[in-house]
Amino acid sequence: MHLPLTPGQRAASETAGRLARERFAPRAAAYDTELRLPVEDLRDLAEAGLLNLAAGEDIGGGGSGVLGKDPLLYLLILEQLARYSGLATSHSLQVHSHAVHFIDRIADDRQRRTVLAPLLQRNVLMTTLGSEPGRTARGARHTTLARRSETGFVLSGVKNFATLADACGYLLVLADGDPQSGVAAGQRLGLLVPVDGEGVRIEPGSWDPYGMRAAVSPVVHLEEHFVPQSHVIGAPGAHAAGNWSLKADLGFAAQYVGGAQRILDLTADAVQRRGLSESPPALVRLGEAQSRVESARWHYYGAAKLWELGDEEAAGPASLSAKLQAIHAGELALEMATRIAGPSAFQADSALSRISRDLRYFMMREQVDAGAISIGSRFFNENPIVAAVDRPPAANDYARAAR
């Protein structure tokens, strides 16, 4: 399918695709088996100028990210990596880019130029630490706390699902202020922490899942680590106030589309080897799945355009909708592959097995029902005639939690 890309977007996408096919794909099986981050892939992306696209051009970035002048650019790279080299590399780039974009947009000008710009120049990797063990049971409350000192904060707590932490130079830690910090309850701070800083410890052997094995996401312990004021990013509550979790939706959508397309490509190869390339059932299933993937691709392209136009009120819901469509495309691709690829295509060490495991595991993070409720509730919230109709409190709470 021919997509309306600018020359710059097409060149970057083709470069990423070529790197993924020629260099990254041959490494993917070893990364997966050895539970090892794809750091060589990230170095190659840095050399190609594709690592720091989500920062402003004035400090050495590529001007992408959802709030940049070209939101689609970075998403194209993610899709190409997911399609040709796997989700571990694309997700590693995504978490780095999301942290970079948040700092670039939330930090003050001095921090951008004296803290962020030197890190970009050295291609230092970053990631955001938000998740905590047991947080689902606690709801939104965090136990990682920042205690105010005379010149900054002292940070203590435990974070998990810290993708890329082992290879990072800095961690963007989201933490609540303790009761004496002067920070209002629920107003999380963004604290930039060197991974080799005093009191920072990555727990060895804390990542061994069945999928996304190369996207190593360990547990990180923070024990009385001092963060100077110069490394406090933005005002308290900036992450939630700016809906930065929602601003990550298109990054996930692009990867789900790329992963689903990879499953279709490999399934088509398997069907051809089986001599079933003219079989009507196989063609029907492949055609339906490809149509869904292409629809999801257009959907995230359209949402990226809304961000480019600066229409954040429309872009946010469109991004969530695009992510839901990409999830459904991924689910259909997984189901289709099990129906027509044949069992021999699913040997434990096969590329189809690996991408299927990775995509299924990757999408486990999503609360699809909550997202759909959030979109559905807009019918009533935006229509004054039916806005007063009572809705079950649980559904309201669920929808709010998804935003």
Side-chain angles (χ1 to χ4, degrees):
M1 183 169 65
H2 296 288
L3 298 168
L5 304 182
T6 67
Q9 290 169 344
R10 190 169 298 280
S13 179
E14 289 175 354
T15 296
R18 184 177 66 255
L19 286 171
R21 290 189 299 272
E22 296 176 1
R23 298 190 193 179
F24 305 170
R27 302 168 181 160
Y31 291 144
D32 181 82
T33 301
E34 298 167 12
L35 283 168
R36 185 162 56 90
L37 284 165
V39 290
E40 294 90 349
D41 295 357
L42 296 170
R43 290 193 195 109
D44 286 341
L45 289 170
E47 290 179 5
L50 300 178
L51 184 65
N52 295 317
L53 294 176
E57 292 176 305
D58 61 319
I59 58 170
S64 191
V66 293
L67 298 180
K69 71 175 187 180
D70 187 359
L72 183 59
L73 177 62
Y74 143 73
L75 301 173
L76 294 170
I77 307 307
L78 293 181
E79 184 184 340
Q80 289 290 293
L81 297 180
R83 178 176 183 179
Y84 294 116
S85 60
L87 292 162
T89 298
S90 65
H91 188 47
S92 295
L93 178 63
Q94 183 198 16
V95 298
H96 166 74
S97 299
H98 188 67
V100 165
H101 198 49
F102 176 82
I103 297 168
D104 182 49
R105 288 288 165 167
I106 298 300
D108 60 38
D109 188 64
R110 180 187 58 80
Q111 290 173 317
R112 290 181 73 247
R113 297 189 180 281
T114 64
V115 177
L116 182 58
L119 298 180
L120 299 180
Q121 291 167 8
R122 304 200 312 271
N123 291 312
V124 173
L125 295 171
M126 289 171 261
T127 191
T128 305
L129 274 57
S131 180
E132 296 183 356
R135 183 181 168 197
T136 302
R138 295 194 306 272
R141 184 168 58 85
H142 282 239
T143 59
T144 300
L145 298 177
R147 184 180 75 252
R148 190 181 292 279
S149 72
E150 291 185 2
T151 56
F153 289 87
V154 177
L155 183 62
S156 293
V158 181
K159 296 290 187 178
N160 63 353
F161 290 102
T163 308
L164 197 62
D166 285 297
C168 283
Y170 277 83
L171 311 171
L172 177 64
V173 181
L174 302 179
D176 288 352
D178 78 345
Q180 286 76 46
S181 68
V183 177
Q187 297 266 296
R188 285 188 293 171
L189 296 159
L191 306 167
L192 195 57
V193 172
V195 76
D196 59 355
E198 184 176 355
V200 180
R201 179 173 62 88
I202 296 176
E203 184 178 325
S206 54
W207 182 250
D208 189 14
Y210 106 100
M212 294 293 284
R213 293 173 59 79
V216 180
S217 306
V219 173
V220 177
H221 298 262
L222 303 151
E223 301 167 357
E224 295 289 298
H225 174 79
F226 172 69
V227 182
Q229 191 64 41
S230 62
H231 283 56
V232 178
I233 308 300
H239 192 275
N243 285 320
W244 279 88
S245 293
L246 180 146
K247 286 180 170 65
D249 279 349
L250 286 189
F252 287 104
Q255 292 182 87
Y256 298 155
V257 167
Q261 187 67 67
R262 178 63 169 164
I263 290 173
L264 266 62
D265 294 343
L266 293 170
T267 300
D269 290 344
V271 167
Q272 191 163 25
R273 288 195 302 271
R274 297 179 69 196
L276 299 176
S277 59
E278 296 183 6
S279 163
L283 293 175
V284 166
R285 291 184 181 276
L286 279 168
E288 289 179 345
Q290 184 63 49
S291 177
R292 182 69 65 87
V293 169
E294 290 177 359
S295 296
R297 181 178 290 119
W298 278 106
H299 206 137
Y300 91 69
Y301 273 48
K305 189 65 177 180
L306 290 173
W307 285 109
E308 182 184 339
L309 294 173
D311 189 354
E312 186 164 345
E313 184 177 355
S319 297
L320 175 57
S321 181
K323 184 175 71 169
L324 292 180
Q325 291 302 311
I327 292 167
H328 294 321
E331 291 172 339
L332 183 60
L334 287 163
E335 171 66 16
M336 176 275 307
T338 63
R339 295 292 185 184
I340 66 174
S344 61
F346 283 95
Q347 294 294 318
D349 60 349
S350 73
L352 184 54
S353 286
R354 188 167 58 252
I355 188 61
S356 297
R357 283 188 284 109
D358 285 357
L359 185 59
R360 193 178 298 279
Y361 185 86
F362 198 23
M363 294 194 304
M364 285 180 187
R365 65 177 298 281
E366 302 293 354
Q367 298 182 39
V368 177
D369 290 346
I373 288 172
S374 180
I375 293 171
S377 69
R378 296 177 68 237
F379 283 102
F380 302 99
N381 293 337
E382 294 178 357
N383 189 329
I385 296 176
V386 296
V389 176
D390 289 335
R391 298 189 299 279
N396 288 340
D397 292 342
Y398 199 25
R400 282 194 291 271
R403 295 192 186 106

